[in-house]
Amino acid sequence: MNCSKTVGSAAVLIMLIFAMTAFSAPSHAQTSAQSSAQIEKAYAAVLSAEQSGGNVTALVAKLNSAVALMQQADALNATSPTKAQSLYSQASTLAQQVISSAPAVAAAGKVATFDAQASLVVETAVLAALAVLAYLYVPRLFWRYWYRTHRDWRVKKA
Amino acid sequence: MIDDDMKVAAVGIIVLIAVFNVSGYYLANRNVEPFSELGILGPTQKIADYPSSVLTGQNFSLYLYVGNHEGEVSYYQVLTKLGTSANANQSVPLDAPVMTSYGMVLLNNQNVTEPITLSLDHNGTNVRLVFELWIYETNTSSFYFYTSNWLYLNVTGPSI
Protein backbone atom coordinates (compact mmCIF):
# COMPACT_ATOMS: atom_id res chain seq x y z
CA MET A 1 0.00 0.00 0.00
CA ASN A 2 2.72 2.39 1.16
CA CYS A 3 5.04 1.26 -1.65
CA SER A 4 2.45 1.82 -4.39
CA LYS A 5 1.78 5.30 -2.95
CA THR A 6 5.51 6.10 -3.16
CA VAL A 7 5.71 4.81 -6.74
CA GLY A 8 2.66 6.88 -7.65
CA SER A 9 4.17 10.03 -6.12
CA ALA A 10 7.43 9.41 -7.94
CA ALA A 11 5.58 9.01 -11.23
CA VAL A 12 3.67 12.26 -10.67
CA LEU A 13 6.94 14.01 -9.76
CA ILE A 14 8.68 12.72 -12.91
CA MET A 15 5.71 13.82 -15.03
CA LEU A 16 5.78 17.25 -13.38
CA ILE A 17 9.53 17.64 -14.00
CA PHE A 18 9.04 16.54 -17.63
CA ALA A 19 6.21 19.00 -18.12
CA MET A 20 8.22 21.83 -16.53
CA THR A 21 11.23 21.07 -18.74
CA ALA A 22 9.06 20.90 -21.83
CA PHE A 23 7.20 24.13 -21.22
CA SER A 24 9.58 26.34 -19.24
CA ALA A 25 12.66 26.20 -21.52
CA PRO A 26 11.76 27.95 -24.75
CA SER A 27 13.03 26.27 -27.89
CA HIS A 28 15.52 28.18 -30.06
CA ALA A 29 13.01 28.30 -32.89
CA GLN A 30 10.66 30.22 -30.61
CA THR A 31 13.37 32.67 -29.62
CA SER A 32 14.32 33.21 -33.25
CA ALA A 33 10.70 33.83 -34.19
CA GLN A 34 10.28 36.18 -31.24
CA SER A 35 13.29 38.32 -32.11
CA SER A 36 12.28 38.28 -35.77
CA ALA A 37 8.78 39.50 -34.82
CA GLN A 38 10.31 42.16 -32.59
CA ILE A 39 12.51 43.41 -35.45
CA GLU A 40 9.50 43.55 -37.79
CA LYS A 41 7.61 45.54 -35.17
CA ALA A 42 10.59 47.88 -34.80
CA TYR A 43 10.74 48.36 -38.59
CA ALA A 44 7.03 49.30 -38.62
CA ALA A 45 7.72 51.85 -35.86
CA VAL A 46 10.66 53.31 -37.83
CA LEU A 47 8.56 53.54 -41.00
CA SER A 48 5.81 55.33 -39.10
CA ALA A 49 8.34 57.75 -37.56
CA GLU A 50 9.75 58.47 -41.03
CA GLN A 51 6.26 59.09 -42.43
CA SER A 52 5.78 61.66 -39.66
CA GLY A 53 8.88 63.45 -40.99
CA GLY A 54 11.34 62.19 -38.37
CA ASN A 55 15.04 61.65 -39.02
CA VAL A 56 15.31 57.88 -38.63
CA THR A 57 19.00 57.47 -39.52
CA ALA A 58 20.03 56.52 -35.97
CA LEU A 59 17.04 54.18 -35.56
CA VAL A 60 17.87 52.41 -38.83
CA ALA A 61 21.51 51.95 -37.71
CA LYS A 62 20.33 50.37 -34.46
CA LEU A 63 17.79 48.21 -36.28
CA ASN A 64 20.53 46.98 -38.64
CA SER A 65 22.60 45.98 -35.60
CA ALA A 66 19.62 43.96 -34.35
CA VAL A 67 19.24 42.31 -37.77
CA ALA A 68 22.97 41.47 -37.83
CA LEU A 69 22.77 39.93 -34.35
CA MET A 70 19.80 37.83 -35.39
CA GLN A 71 21.70 36.64 -38.47
CA GLN A 72 24.68 35.66 -36.31
CA ALA A 73 22.34 33.83 -33.97
CA ASP A 74 20.71 31.97 -36.87
CA ALA A 75 24.17 30.85 -38.03
CA LEU A 76 25.13 29.66 -34.53
CA ASN A 77 21.80 28.11 -33.61
CA ALA A 78 22.75 24.59 -34.70
CA THR A 79 26.28 24.51 -33.25
CA SER A 80 26.05 26.77 -30.19
CA PRO A 81 22.43 27.16 -29.08
CA THR A 82 23.25 28.95 -25.80
CA LYS A 83 25.26 31.64 -27.55
CA ALA A 84 22.57 31.89 -30.22
CA GLN A 85 19.90 32.42 -27.58
CA SER A 86 21.97 35.21 -26.02
CA LEU A 87 22.34 36.88 -29.43
CA TYR A 88 18.59 36.56 -30.09
CA SER A 89 17.91 38.21 -26.77
CA GLN A 90 20.37 41.06 -27.56
CA ALA A 91 18.68 41.55 -30.94
CA SER A 92 15.27 41.72 -29.24
CA THR A 93 16.57 44.27 -26.73
CA LEU A 94 17.90 46.49 -29.52
CA ALA A 95 14.61 46.18 -31.43
CA GLN A 96 12.72 47.07 -28.26
CA GLN A 97 14.93 50.17 -27.84
CA VAL A 98 14.08 51.19 -31.41
CA ILE A 99 10.35 50.71 -30.71
CA SER A 100 10.51 52.87 -27.58
CA SER A 101 12.59 55.63 -29.27
CA ALA A 102 10.44 55.83 -32.43
CA PRO A 103 7.55 57.92 -30.98
CA ALA A 104 9.97 60.68 -29.87
CA VAL A 105 11.55 60.75 -33.34
CA ALA A 106 8.07 60.89 -34.90
CA ALA A 107 7.07 63.78 -32.61
CA ALA A 108 10.27 65.69 -33.47
CA GLY A 109 9.54 65.00 -37.13
CA LYS A 110 6.03 66.43 -36.84
CA VAL A 111 7.43 69.61 -35.28
CA ALA A 112 10.11 69.87 -38.01
CA THR A 113 7.49 69.31 -40.74
CA PHE A 114 5.27 72.03 -39.23
CA ASP A 115 8.23 74.43 -39.04
CA ALA A 116 9.19 73.71 -42.65
CA GLN A 117 5.61 74.24 -43.83
CA ALA A 118 5.31 77.45 -41.81
CA SER A 119 8.55 78.82 -43.26
CA LEU A 120 7.36 77.86 -46.76
CA VAL A 121 4.12 79.82 -46.20
CA VAL A 122 6.10 82.84 -44.89
CA GLU A 123 8.54 82.67 -47.84
CA THR A 124 5.67 82.48 -50.32
CA ALA A 125 3.90 85.42 -48.64
CA VAL A 126 7.11 87.48 -48.74
CA LEU A 127 7.57 86.63 -52.44
CA ALA A 128 3.93 87.61 -53.15
CA ALA A 129 4.47 90.94 -51.38
CA LEU A 130 7.70 91.43 -53.37
CA ALA A 131 5.77 90.74 -56.59
CA VAL A 132 3.21 93.46 -55.71
CA LEU A 133 5.99 95.91 -54.79
CA ALA A 134 7.85 95.07 -57.99
CA TYR A 135 4.69 95.64 -60.04
CA LEU A 136 4.17 99.03 -58.43
CA TYR A 137 7.71 100.37 -58.09
CA VAL A 138 10.08 98.68 -60.56
CA PRO A 139 9.38 101.10 -63.49
CA ARG A 140 9.67 104.12 -61.20
CA LEU A 141 12.92 102.85 -59.64
CA PHE A 142 14.31 101.94 -63.04
CA TRP A 143 13.71 105.38 -64.53
CA ARG A 144 15.07 107.08 -61.46
CA TYR A 145 18.25 104.99 -61.71
CA TRP A 146 18.42 105.56 -65.45
CA TYR A 147 18.15 109.30 -64.97
CA ARG A 148 20.89 109.28 -62.32
CA THR A 149 23.30 107.33 -64.50
CA HIS A 150 22.55 109.35 -67.63
CA ARG A 151 22.21 112.88 -66.20
CA ASP A 152 25.52 113.99 -67.77
CA TRP A 153 24.51 112.99 -71.23
CA ARG A 154 24.16 115.69 -73.83
CA VAL A 155 21.94 115.49 -76.84
CA LYS A 156 23.87 116.22 -80.02
CA LYS A 157 22.38 117.64 -83.09
CA ALA A 158 22.12 115.06 -85.80
CA MET B 1 4.96 100.29 -73.03
CA ILE B 2 8.47 99.77 -71.63
CA ASP B 3 6.98 100.16 -68.15
CA ASP B 4 4.58 97.26 -68.75
CA ASP B 5 7.40 95.03 -70.00
CA MET B 6 9.43 95.81 -66.92
CA LYS B 7 6.48 94.98 -64.64
CA VAL B 8 5.90 91.64 -66.38
CA ALA B 9 9.61 90.72 -66.24
CA ALA B 10 9.97 91.61 -62.55
CA VAL B 11 6.80 89.81 -61.47
CA GLY B 12 7.65 86.84 -63.73
CA ILE B 13 11.05 86.36 -62.08
CA ILE B 14 9.51 86.45 -58.60
CA VAL B 15 6.75 83.99 -59.56
CA LEU B 16 9.39 81.60 -60.98
CA ILE B 17 11.35 81.75 -57.71
CA ALA B 18 8.14 81.02 -55.76
CA VAL B 19 7.26 78.04 -58.00
CA PHE B 20 10.76 76.52 -57.61
CA ASN B 21 10.58 77.06 -53.86
CA VAL B 22 7.21 75.35 -53.41
CA SER B 23 7.85 72.50 -55.88
CA GLY B 24 11.26 71.86 -54.30
CA TYR B 25 9.58 71.38 -50.94
CA TYR B 26 6.95 68.98 -52.23
CA LEU B 27 9.19 66.98 -54.56
CA ALA B 28 12.10 66.53 -52.14
CA ASN B 29 12.68 62.82 -51.35
CA ARG B 30 9.75 61.81 -53.55
CA ASN B 31 10.51 58.94 -55.92
CA VAL B 32 8.32 59.14 -59.01
CA GLU B 33 8.85 55.47 -59.79
CA PRO B 34 9.82 53.52 -56.67
CA PHE B 35 12.17 50.60 -57.17
CA SER B 36 14.79 48.49 -55.44
CA GLU B 37 18.07 47.09 -56.72
CA LEU B 38 19.76 43.73 -56.28
CA GLY B 39 23.20 43.05 -57.66
CA ILE B 40 25.75 40.29 -57.29
CA LEU B 41 29.32 41.50 -57.57
CA GLY B 42 32.48 39.46 -58.00
CA PRO B 43 35.27 39.21 -55.41
CA THR B 44 36.71 42.54 -56.65
CA GLN B 45 33.37 44.33 -56.02
CA LYS B 46 32.79 44.69 -59.77
CA ILE B 47 30.37 43.15 -62.25
CA ALA B 48 33.22 40.92 -63.35
CA ASP B 49 35.56 38.15 -62.19
CA TYR B 50 32.72 35.90 -61.05
CA PRO B 51 33.83 32.42 -60.11
CA SER B 52 32.74 29.91 -62.77
CA SER B 53 34.04 26.88 -60.99
CA VAL B 54 34.34 26.18 -57.27
CA LEU B 55 35.49 23.26 -55.19
CA THR B 56 32.94 21.33 -53.17
CA GLY B 57 32.83 22.55 -49.59
CA GLN B 58 35.32 25.32 -50.24
CA ASN B 59 34.42 28.90 -49.30
CA PHE B 60 34.18 31.51 -52.05
CA SER B 61 33.47 35.21 -51.71
CA LEU B 62 31.05 37.51 -53.50
CA TYR B 63 29.52 40.87 -52.79
CA LEU B 64 25.83 41.58 -52.43
CA TYR B 65 24.57 44.97 -53.59
CA VAL B 66 21.13 46.20 -52.51
CA GLY B 67 19.77 49.68 -53.25
CA ASN B 68 16.60 51.32 -51.96
CA HIS B 69 14.72 53.84 -54.13
CA GLU B 70 11.27 53.05 -52.75
CA GLY B 71 10.75 56.56 -51.37
CA GLU B 72 10.82 55.29 -47.79
CA VAL B 73 12.90 53.20 -45.41
CA SER B 74 12.72 49.52 -46.47
CA TYR B 75 13.46 46.19 -44.81
CA TYR B 76 15.05 43.67 -47.19
CA GLN B 77 15.95 40.03 -47.08
CA VAL B 78 18.21 38.36 -49.61
CA LEU B 79 17.82 34.58 -49.74
CA THR B 80 20.27 32.25 -51.47
CA LYS B 81 18.99 29.04 -53.02
CA LEU B 82 20.23 26.40 -55.41
CA GLY B 83 18.50 25.65 -58.70
CA THR B 84 19.15 24.40 -62.20
CA SER B 85 19.01 26.13 -65.56
CA ALA B 86 15.66 24.41 -66.19
CA ASN B 87 13.77 26.41 -63.56
CA ALA B 88 15.25 29.86 -64.28
CA ASN B 89 12.59 32.55 -63.89
CA GLN B 90 13.32 36.01 -62.53
CA SER B 91 9.71 36.93 -61.77
CA VAL B 92 8.83 34.12 -59.38
CA PRO B 93 10.65 32.83 -56.31
CA LEU B 94 12.44 29.52 -56.66
CA ASP B 95 10.76 26.64 -54.87
CA ALA B 96 13.88 25.38 -53.11
CA PRO B 97 15.26 25.37 -49.57
CA VAL B 98 16.98 28.54 -48.35
CA MET B 99 20.76 28.14 -47.98
CA THR B 100 21.49 31.47 -46.29
CA SER B 101 19.65 34.72 -45.68
CA TYR B 102 20.89 38.29 -45.30
CA GLY B 103 18.73 41.00 -43.78
CA MET B 104 19.16 44.77 -44.00
CA VAL B 105 17.18 47.95 -43.43
CA LEU B 106 17.98 50.78 -45.83
CA LEU B 107 17.02 54.44 -45.85
CA ASN B 108 15.52 55.90 -49.01
CA ASN B 109 18.24 56.34 -51.70
CA GLN B 110 20.71 54.32 -49.62
CA ASN B 111 22.57 51.28 -50.89
CA VAL B 112 24.79 48.70 -49.30
CA THR B 113 27.52 46.42 -50.63
CA GLU B 114 27.97 43.50 -48.27
CA PRO B 115 30.66 40.81 -48.51
CA ILE B 116 29.31 37.27 -48.36
CA THR B 117 31.02 33.91 -48.11
CA LEU B 118 29.34 30.79 -49.44
CA SER B 119 30.19 27.15 -49.95
CA LEU B 120 28.39 24.44 -51.89
CA ASP B 121 28.22 20.91 -50.56
CA HIS B 122 27.38 18.91 -53.69
CA ASN B 123 29.03 18.44 -57.07
CA GLY B 124 27.23 19.64 -60.14
CA THR B 125 27.51 21.22 -63.57
CA ASN B 126 25.77 24.51 -64.29
CA VAL B 127 24.46 24.78 -60.76
CA ARG B 128 22.36 27.92 -60.50
CA LEU B 129 23.13 29.93 -57.37
CA VAL B 130 20.06 32.10 -56.93
CA PHE B 131 19.85 35.34 -54.94
CA GLU B 132 16.29 36.47 -54.21
CA LEU B 133 15.35 39.93 -52.96
CA TRP B 134 12.34 40.06 -50.63
CA ILE B 135 10.83 43.24 -49.17
CA TYR B 136 8.93 43.47 -45.92
CA GLU B 137 5.37 44.75 -46.19
CA THR B 138 3.89 46.18 -42.98
CA ASN B 139 0.28 45.81 -44.16
CA THR B 140 0.59 42.04 -44.48
CA SER B 141 3.37 41.65 -41.88
CA SER B 142 5.32 39.48 -44.30
CA PHE B 143 8.04 39.64 -46.94
CA TYR B 144 7.04 39.64 -50.60
CA PHE B 145 9.24 38.47 -53.47
CA TYR B 146 10.67 41.35 -55.54
CA THR B 147 13.30 39.99 -57.93
CA SER B 148 16.15 37.52 -58.29
CA ASN B 149 19.62 37.23 -59.82
CA TRP B 150 21.74 34.16 -60.33
CA LEU B 151 25.14 32.83 -61.07
CA TYR B 152 25.99 29.56 -62.88
CA LEU B 153 28.72 27.53 -61.26
CA ASN B 154 30.44 24.22 -61.82
CA VAL B 155 30.99 22.54 -58.48
CA THR B 156 33.80 20.03 -58.65
CA GLY B 157 35.68 17.78 -56.26
CA PRO B 158 34.66 15.06 -53.84
CA SER B 159 31.20 15.49 -52.35
CA ILE B 160 31.23 16.08 -48.59
Side-chain angles (χ1 to χ4, degrees), chain B residues 76-129:
Chain B
Y76 295 101
Q77 231 175 27
V78 178
L79 308 179
T80 60
K81 297 174 181 178
L82 280 184
T84 60
S85 54
N87 51 11
N89 188 343
Q90 205 169 19
S91 53
V92 289
L94 181 67
D95 185 19
V98 176
M99 280 169 54
T100 49
S101 77
Y102 307 91
M104 62 210 75
V105 181
L106 297 182
L107 293 164
N108 184 36
N109 291 329
Q110 188 189 3
N111 62 63
V112 68
T113 306
E114 199 173 292
I116 56 168
T117 304
L118 297 162
S119 78
L120 303 176
D121 292 341
H122 298 286
N123 291 349
T125 309
N126 273 340
V127 172
R128 196 162 61 98
L129 178 58

Coordinates of all heavy atoms in Angstrom, one line a residue, chain B residues 76-129:
Chain B
Y76 N 14.8 44.7 -46.1 CA 15.0 43.7 -47.2 C 15.6 42.4 -46.6 O 16.2 42.4 -45.6 CB 16.1 44.2 -48.2 CG 15.7 45.4 -49.0 CD1 16.1 46.7 -48.6 CD2 14.8 45.3 -50.1 CE1 15.8 47.8 -49.3 CE2 14.5 46.4 -50.8 CZ 14.9 47.6 -50.4 OH 14.5 48.7 -51.1
Q77 N 15.3 41.3 -47.4 CA 15.9 40.0 -47.1 C 16.4 39.4 -48.4 O 15.7 39.4 -49.4 CB 14.9 39.1 -46.4 CG 15.5 38.5 -45.2 CD 14.5 37.7 -44.4 OE1 13.6 37.1 -45.0 NE2 14.7 37.6 -43.1
V78 N 17.7 39.0 -48.4 CA 18.2 38.4 -49.6 C 18.4 36.9 -49.2 O 19.1 36.6 -48.3 CB 19.5 39.0 -50.1 CG1 20.1 38.2 -51.3 CG2 19.4 40.4 -50.4
L79 N 17.7 36.0 -50.0 CA 17.8 34.6 -49.7 C 18.7 33.9 -50.8 O 18.5 34.3 -52.0 CB 16.4 33.9 -49.7 CG 15.4 34.6 -48.8 CD1 14.0 33.8 -49.0 CD2 15.8 34.6 -47.4
T80 N 19.5 33.0 -50.4 CA 20.3 32.3 -51.5 C 19.7 30.8 -51.5 O 19.4 30.2 -50.5 CB 21.8 32.2 -51.1 OG1 21.9 31.5 -49.9 CG2 22.4 33.6 -51.1
K81 N 19.5 30.4 -52.8 CA 19.0 29.0 -53.0 C 19.8 28.4 -54.2 O 20.4 29.1 -54.9 CB 17.5 29.1 -53.4 CG 16.6 29.7 -52.3 CD 15.2 29.9 -52.9 CE 14.3 30.5 -51.8 NZ 12.9 30.8 -52.4
L82 N 19.6 27.1 -54.3 CA 20.2 26.4 -55.4 C 19.2 25.9 -56.4 O 18.2 25.3 -56.0 CB 21.0 25.2 -54.9 CG 22.4 25.5 -54.3 CD1 23.1 24.2 -53.9 CD2 23.3 26.3 -55.3
G83 N 19.4 26.1 -57.7 CA 18.5 25.6 -58.7 C 19.3 25.1 -59.9 O 20.5 25.0 -59.9
T84 N 18.5 24.8 -60.9 CA 19.1 24.4 -62.2 C 18.7 25.4 -63.3 O 17.9 26.2 -63.1 CB 18.7 23.0 -62.6 OG1 17.2 23.0 -62.8 CG2 19.0 22.0 -61.5
S85 N 19.3 25.2 -64.5 CA 19.0 26.1 -65.6 C 17.6 25.9 -66.0 O 17.0 26.8 -66.6 CB 20.0 25.9 -66.7 OG 20.0 24.6 -67.1
A86 N 17.0 24.7 -65.7 CA 15.7 24.4 -66.2 C 14.6 25.3 -65.5 O 13.6 25.6 -66.1 CB 15.4 23.0 -65.9
N87 N 14.8 25.7 -64.3 CA 13.8 26.4 -63.6 C 14.1 27.9 -63.4 O 13.8 28.5 -62.4 CB 13.5 25.7 -62.2 CG 14.7 25.5 -61.4 OD1 15.8 26.0 -61.8 ND2 14.6 24.7 -60.3
A88 N 14.8 28.4 -64.4 CA 15.3 29.9 -64.3 C 14.1 30.8 -64.6 O 13.6 30.8 -65.8 CB 16.4 30.1 -65.2
N89 N 13.6 31.6 -63.7 CA 12.6 32.6 -63.9 C 12.8 33.7 -62.9 O 12.7 33.4 -61.7 CB 11.2 31.9 -63.7 CG 10.1 32.8 -64.2 OD1 10.3 34.0 -64.3 ND2 8.9 32.2 -64.4
Q90 N 13.0 34.9 -63.4 CA 13.3 36.0 -62.5 C 12.1 36.6 -61.8 O 12.2 37.3 -60.8 CB 14.0 37.1 -63.4 CG 14.9 38.0 -62.5 CD 15.7 38.9 -63.4 OE1 15.4 39.1 -64.6 NE2 16.8 39.4 -62.8
S91 N 10.9 36.3 -62.3 CA 9.7 36.9 -61.8 C 9.0 36.1 -60.7 O 8.0 36.6 -60.1 CB 8.7 37.3 -62.9 OG 8.5 36.2 -63.6
V92 N 9.4 34.9 -60.5 CA 8.8 34.1 -59.4 C 9.9 33.5 -58.5 O 11.0 33.3 -59.0 CB 8.0 32.9 -59.9 CG1 6.7 33.4 -60.5 CG2 8.7 32.1 -60.9
P93 N 9.6 33.4 -57.2 CA 10.6 32.8 -56.3 C 10.9 31.4 -56.6 O 9.9 30.7 -57.0 CB 10.1 33.0 -54.9 CG 8.6 33.2 -55.1 CD 8.4 33.8 -56.5
L94 N 12.1 30.9 -56.4 CA 12.4 29.5 -56.7 C 11.9 28.7 -55.5 O 12.1 29.0 -54.3 CB 14.0 29.4 -56.8 CG 14.5 28.0 -57.0 CD1 14.1 27.5 -58.4 CD2 16.1 28.0 -56.9
D95 N 11.3 27.6 -55.9 CA 10.8 26.6 -54.9 C 11.9 25.7 -54.4 O 12.0 24.6 -55.0 CB 9.6 25.9 -55.5 CG 8.9 25.0 -54.4 OD1 9.1 25.2 -53.2 OD2 8.2 24.1 -54.8
A96 N 12.7 26.2 -53.6 CA 13.9 25.4 -53.1 C 14.2 25.8 -51.7 O 13.9 27.0 -51.3 CB 15.1 25.6 -54.0
P97 N 14.9 25.0 -50.9 CA 15.3 25.4 -49.6 C 16.2 26.6 -49.5 O 17.0 26.7 -50.5 CB 15.9 24.1 -49.0 CG 16.0 23.1 -50.0 CD 15.3 23.6 -51.3
V98 N 16.1 27.4 -48.5 CA 17.0 28.5 -48.4 C 18.3 28.1 -47.8 O 18.4 27.4 -46.8 CB 16.3 29.6 -47.4 CG1 17.3 30.8 -47.2 CG2 15.0 30.0 -48.0
M99 N 19.4 28.5 -48.5 CA 20.8 28.1 -48.0 C 21.2 29.1 -46.9 O 21.5 28.7 -45.8 CB 21.8 28.2 -49.1 CG 21.8 27.0 -50.0 SD 22.8 27.4 -51.5 CE 24.3 27.9 -50.8
T100 N 21.1 30.4 -47.2 CA 21.5 31.5 -46.3 C 20.6 32.7 -46.5 O 20.0 32.8 -47.6 CB 22.9 32.0 -46.5 OG1 23.1 32.2 -47.9 CG2 24.0 31.0 -46.0
S101 N 20.5 33.5 -45.5 CA 19.6 34.7 -45.7 C 20.4 35.9 -45.1 O 21.2 35.8 -44.1 CB 18.3 34.6 -45.0 OG 18.4 34.7 -43.7
Y102 N 20.2 37.0 -45.7 CA 20.9 38.3 -45.3 C 19.8 39.4 -45.2 O 19.1 39.6 -46.1 CB 21.9 38.7 -46.3 CG 22.9 37.6 -46.6 CD1 22.7 36.8 -47.7 CD2 24.1 37.5 -45.9 CE1 23.6 35.8 -48.0 CE2 25.0 36.4 -46.2 CZ 24.7 35.6 -47.2 OH 25.6 34.6 -47.5
G103 N 19.7 40.0 -44.0 CA 18.7 41.0 -43.8 C 19.4 42.4 -43.7 O 20.5 42.5 -43.3
M104 N 18.7 43.4 -44.1 CA 19.2 44.8 -44.0 C 18.0 45.7 -44.1 O 17.0 45.5 -44.8 CB 20.2 45.1 -45.1 CG 19.7 44.9 -46.5 SD 20.9 44.4 -47.6 CE 21.1 42.7 -47.3
V105 N 18.2 46.9 -43.4 CA 17.2 47.9 -43.4 C 17.9 49.1 -44.1 O 19.0 49.5 -43.6 CB 16.7 48.3 -42.0 CG1 15.6 49.4 -42.1 CG2 16.1 47.1 -41.3
L106 N 17.3 49.7 -45.1 CA 18.0 50.8 -45.8 C 17.1 52.0 -45.9 O 15.9 51.9 -46.1 CB 18.3 50.4 -47.3 CG 19.3 49.2 -47.5 CD1 19.5 49.0 -48.9 CD2 20.6 49.5 -46.8
L107 N 17.7 53.2 -45.7 CA 17.0 54.4 -45.8 C 16.7 54.7 -47.3 O 17.3 54.0 -48.2 CB 17.9 55.6 -45.3 CG 18.2 55.6 -43.9 CD1 19.4 56.5 -43.6 CD2 17.0 56.1 -43.1
N108 N 15.8 55.6 -47.6 CA 15.5 55.9 -49.0 C 16.8 56.4 -49.7 O 17.5 57.2 -49.1 CB 14.4 56.9 -49.1 CG 14.0 57.2 -50.5 OD1 14.0 56.3 -51.4 ND2 13.7 58.5 -50.8
N109 N 17.1 56.0 -50.9 CA 18.2 56.3 -51.7 C 19.5 55.9 -51.1 O 20.6 56.4 -51.4 CB 18.3 57.8 -52.0 CG 17.2 58.3 -52.9 OD1 16.8 57.5 -53.8 ND2 16.7 59.5 -52.7
Q110 N 19.5 54.9 -50.2 CA 20.7 54.3 -49.6 C 21.0 53.0 -50.3 O 20.0 52.3 -50.7 CB 20.5 54.1 -48.1 CG 21.8 53.7 -47.4 CD 21.6 53.3 -45.9 OE1 20.4 53.2 -45.5 NE2 22.6 53.0 -45.3
N111 N 22.2 52.6 -50.4 CA 22.6 51.3 -50.9 C 23.7 50.7 -50.0 O 24.3 51.4 -49.3 CB 23.0 51.3 -52.4 CG 24.2 52.2 -52.6 OD1 25.3 51.8 -52.1 ND2 24.1 53.3 -53.3
V112 N 23.8 49.4 -50.1 CA 24.8 48.7 -49.3 C 25.5 47.6 -50.2 O 24.8 47.0 -51.0 CB 24.1 48.1 -48.0 CG1 23.2 47.0 -48.3 CG2 25.2 47.6 -47.0
T113 N 26.8 47.5 -50.0 CA 27.5 46.4 -50.6 C 28.1 45.6 -49.5 O 29.0 46.0 -48.8 CB 28.6 47.0 -51.5 OG1 28.0 47.9 -52.4 CG2 29.3 45.9 -52.3
E114 N 27.6 44.3 -49.4 CA 28.0 43.5 -48.3 C 28.8 42.3 -48.7 O 28.3 41.6 -49.7 CB 26.7 43.0 -47.6 CG 26.9 42.5 -46.2 CD 25.5 42.3 -45.5 OE1 24.8 43.2 -45.3 OE2 25.3 41.1 -45.3
P115 N 29.9 42.0 -48.1 CA 30.7 40.8 -48.5 C 30.0 39.6 -48.0 O 29.5 39.5 -46.8 CB 32.0 41.0 -47.8 CG 31.8 41.9 -46.7 CD 30.6 42.7 -47.0
I116 N 29.9 38.5 -48.8 CA 29.3 37.3 -48.4 C 30.2 36.1 -48.7 O 31.0 36.2 -49.7 CB 27.9 37.0 -49.0 CG1 28.0 37.1 -50.5 CG2 26.9 38.0 -48.5 CD1 26.7 36.5 -51.2
T117 N 30.2 35.1 -47.9 CA 31.0 33.9 -48.1 C 30.1 32.7 -48.2 O 29.2 32.5 -47.3 CB 32.0 33.7 -47.0 OG1 32.8 34.9 -46.9 CG2 33.0 32.6 -47.2
L118 N 30.2 31.9 -49.2 CA 29.3 30.8 -49.4 C 30.2 29.5 -49.7 O 31.3 29.6 -50.1 CB 28.4 31.0 -50.6 CG 27.5 32.2 -50.5 CD1 26.9 32.6 -51.9 CD2 26.3 31.9 -49.6
S119 N 29.6 28.4 -49.5 CA 30.2 27.1 -49.9 C 29.1 26.2 -50.4 O 28.0 26.2 -49.8 CB 31.1 26.6 -48.8 OG 30.3 25.9 -47.9
L120 N 29.4 25.4 -51.4 CA 28.4 24.4 -51.9 C 28.8 23.0 -51.6 O 30.0 22.7 -51.7 CB 28.2 24.6 -53.4 CG 27.8 26.1 -53.8 CD1 27.8 26.2 -55.3 CD2 26.5 26.4 -53.2
D121 N 27.9 22.2 -51.1 CA 28.2 20.9 -50.6 C 28.1 19.7 -51.6 O 28.5 18.6 -51.2 CB 27.3 20.6 -49.4 CG 27.6 21.5 -48.2 OD1 28.7 22.1 -48.2 OD2 26.8 21.6 -47.3
H122 N 27.6 20.0 -52.7 CA 27.4 18.9 -53.7 C 27.9 19.3 -55.1 O 27.8 20.4 -55.5 CB 25.9 18.5 -53.8 CG 25.3 18.1 -52.5 ND1 25.6 16.9 -52.0 CD2 24.5 18.7 -51.6 CE1 24.9 16.7 -50.8 NE2 24.3 17.9 -50.6
N123 N 28.5 18.2 -55.7 CA 29.0 18.4 -57.1 C 27.9 18.7 -58.0 O 26.8 18.4 -57.8 CB 29.7 17.2 -57.6 CG 31.0 16.9 -56.8 OD1 31.4 17.8 -56.0 ND2 31.5 15.7 -57.0
G124 N 28.2 19.4 -59.1 CA 27.2 19.6 -60.1 C 27.8 20.5 -61.2 O 28.7 21.3 -61.1
T125 N 27.1 20.4 -62.4 CA 27.5 21.2 -63.6 C 26.4 22.2 -63.8 O 25.2 21.9 -63.7 CB 27.7 20.3 -64.8 OG1 28.6 19.3 -64.4 CG2 28.3 21.1 -66.0
N126 N 26.8 23.4 -64.1 CA 25.8 24.5 -64.3 C 24.8 24.6 -63.1 O 23.6 24.7 -63.3 CB 25.0 24.3 -65.6 CG 25.7 25.0 -66.8 OD1 26.6 25.8 -66.5 ND2 25.4 24.5 -68.0
V127 N 25.3 24.6 -62.0 CA 24.5 24.8 -60.8 C 24.1 26.3 -60.7 O 24.9 27.1 -60.9 CB 25.2 24.4 -59.5 CG1 24.5 24.7 -58.2 CG2 25.6 22.9 -59.5
R128 N 22.8 26.5 -60.5 CA 22.4 27.9 -60.5 C 22.3 28.4 -59.0 O 21.4 27.9 -58.3 CB 21.0 28.0 -61.2 CG 20.6 29.5 -61.6 CD 19.5 29.5 -62.6 NE 18.3 28.8 -62.1 CZ 17.3 29.5 -61.6 NH1 17.3 30.8 -61.5 NH2 16.2 28.9 -61.2
L129 N 23.2 29.3 -58.7 CA 23.1 29.9 -57.4 C 22.2 31.2 -57.4 O 22.6 32.2 -58.1 CB 24.6 30.3 -56.9 CG 24.7 31.0 -55.6 CD1 24.2 30.1 -54.5 CD2 26.2 31.3 -55.3

